[in-house]
Amino acid sequence: MEAKELIEKIKENVIQGRINKEDEGFDEGLDGEPGTVELIEEAIKTDVDAEQMVINGLTAGMEIVGARFESGEYLIPDMLASAEAVGAAMDLLAPHLEKSGVKSRGKFLIATVKGDLHDIGKNIVSIMLKGAGYEVIDLGTDVPAEKIAETAEQQKPKFVGLSALLTTTMREMENVINTLKDKGMRDDVKILIGGAPTSREFAEKIGADVHCADAFQAVEYTNSIN
Ligand code: B12
């Protein structure tokens, strides 16, 4: 299969929520055909660009899943199946995105804020930053402001990255910034925010340093001030 075709098939399989060939998929009856994992393995073997797989395969697939959820066609278990397919793909792709042997460019503390369990985007950002040579401290999902501030106090990172995918939890980002202010640490770090509902205007409003629409912008920003 050609690179373009493989990437298109990876996207389709994410939409179908198929991890591997045993899964029947949202449309059913697809079992037996290569799933996300088999396709990623083939793509890696044939040297398809890993970043292209992430952008045009995994992320593009999740965008469609989100639209289908919004329209009512997909329910939560469907979204979850797709998320699991992306997770399995990222496990295989991580070593290809993290180029080894790069000197550390500083610590980057990252977390999905309190109340929010979405971590696919955050994980992609973490992997890309590791690939660019940053030492990433990933606190996971649903992380309270206090925990982020305490870790920043101990680890003294150069950057703090916050992720939120819900309009309700994005407000928690301001709380994190205020907690850092209260501890007198706000000016010691650069704060990056991201996630679908966030924007440049929102970043300005809550006093973050920058909003990033994707993982590439995050790397561009951190490199630009390093
Ligand atoms: C997968 C998914 C889930 C999965 C999450 C699995 C997981 N492990 O992450 C599950 C099924 C668990 C889930 C649950 C829910 N979800 Co959901 N989910 C999604 C979905 C379809 C995709 C998100 C995703 O992974 N996108 C792909 C990644 C690659 O993109 P990304 O996250 O935007 O990240 C990129 C950038 O934003 C940026 N970025 C992200 N974070 C950061 C951080 C930093 C520091 C930087 C620099 C950059 C950055 O870089 C990333 C990589 O390029 C979205 C739809 C959408 N359009 O976003 C809905 C969506 C976010 N979910 C939604 C909802 C409503 C829910 C639930 C409330 C559903 C429910 N009723 O229970 C729950 C909430 C659970 C909770 N408390 O968090 C709504 C939110 C609506 C709103 N206005 O708030 C959405 C928008 C769907 C919709 N259209 O209605 N969800």
Side-chain angles (χ1 to χ4, degrees):
M1 245 187 275
E2 255 184 65
K4 217 173 150 205
E5 196 186 337
L6 266 170
I7 290 175
E8 191 53 35
K9 278 210 180 288
I10 290 166
K11 177 177 157 190
E12 276 168 28
N13 274 277
V14 167
I15 297 167
Q16 288 293 331
R18 295 185 68 232
I19 296 182
N20 58 38
K21 59 179 179 344
E22 265 112 66
D23 294 334
E24 58 176 15
F26 182 80
D27 289 339
E28 298 178 0
L30 296 170
D31 35 336
E33 288 181 34
T36 308
V37 161
E38 289 87 5
L39 291 163
I40 294 272
E41 279 167 348
E42 185 181 339
I44 290 172
K45 250 189 245 159
T46 52
D47 280 335
V48 177
D49 185 61
E51 287 183 6
Q52 287 304 316
M53 289 193 242
V54 173
I55 303 167
N56 297 321
L58 307 177
T59 307
M62 284 317 283
E63 266 165 30
I64 294 183
V65 171
R68 290 190 178 182
F69 177 71
E70 206 159 355
S71 73
E73 186 186 347
Y74 274 26
L75 301 174
I76 292 168
D78 306 314
M79 246 188 342
L80 207 48
S82 297
E84 279 168 12
V86 173
M90 286 307 291
D91 286 346
L92 293 172
L93 285 176
H96 300 270
L97 293 162
E98 299 166 12
K99 294 155 216 122
S100 57
V102 195
K103 196 170 130 250
S104 175
R105 303 182 75 152
K107 288 184 185 176
F108 192 110
L109 176 63
I110 193 165
T112 299
V113 297
K114 189 174 156 192
D116 202 313
L117 301 174
H118 295 85
D119 67 357
I120 297 176
K122 170 188 70 62
N123 293 345
I124 292 178
V125 173
S126 295
I127 289 169
M128 293 302 200
L129 284 165
K130 277 188 204 161
Y134 293 88
E135 187 185 331
V136 179
I137 304 157
D138 187 343
L139 293 179
T141 60
D142 188 17
V143 187
E146 199 56 38
K147 172 95 185 276
I148 297 173
E150 267 169 28
T151 312
E153 218 167 13
Q154 289 158 8
Q155 298 282 341
K156 310 217 171 349
K158 261 192 204 171
F159 305 97
V160 174
L162 305 172
S163 184
L165 267 286
L166 301 171
T167 43
T168 46
T169 56
M170 66 194 266
R171 292 188 209 128
E172 177 66 16
M173 291 174 158
E174 189 170 14
N175 194 14
V176 176
I177 295 175
N178 288 337
T179 310
L180 288 169
K181 273 187 197 154
D182 291 346
K183 287 187 181 278
M185 293 164 54
R186 171 62 188 94
D187 296 334
D188 302 340
V189 293
K190 292 286 180 197
I191 300 177
L192 297 80
I193 66 161
T198 61
S199 63
R200 209 175 81 189
E201 292 71 38
F202 180 70
E204 271 166 24
K205 191 174 147 237
I206 65 170
D209 291 293
V210 68
H211 165 257
C212 299
D214 58 38
F216 299 97
Q217 286 186 10
V219 173
E220 214 174 283
Y221 174 76
T222 49
N223 285 351
S224 77
I225 62 161
N226 230 348

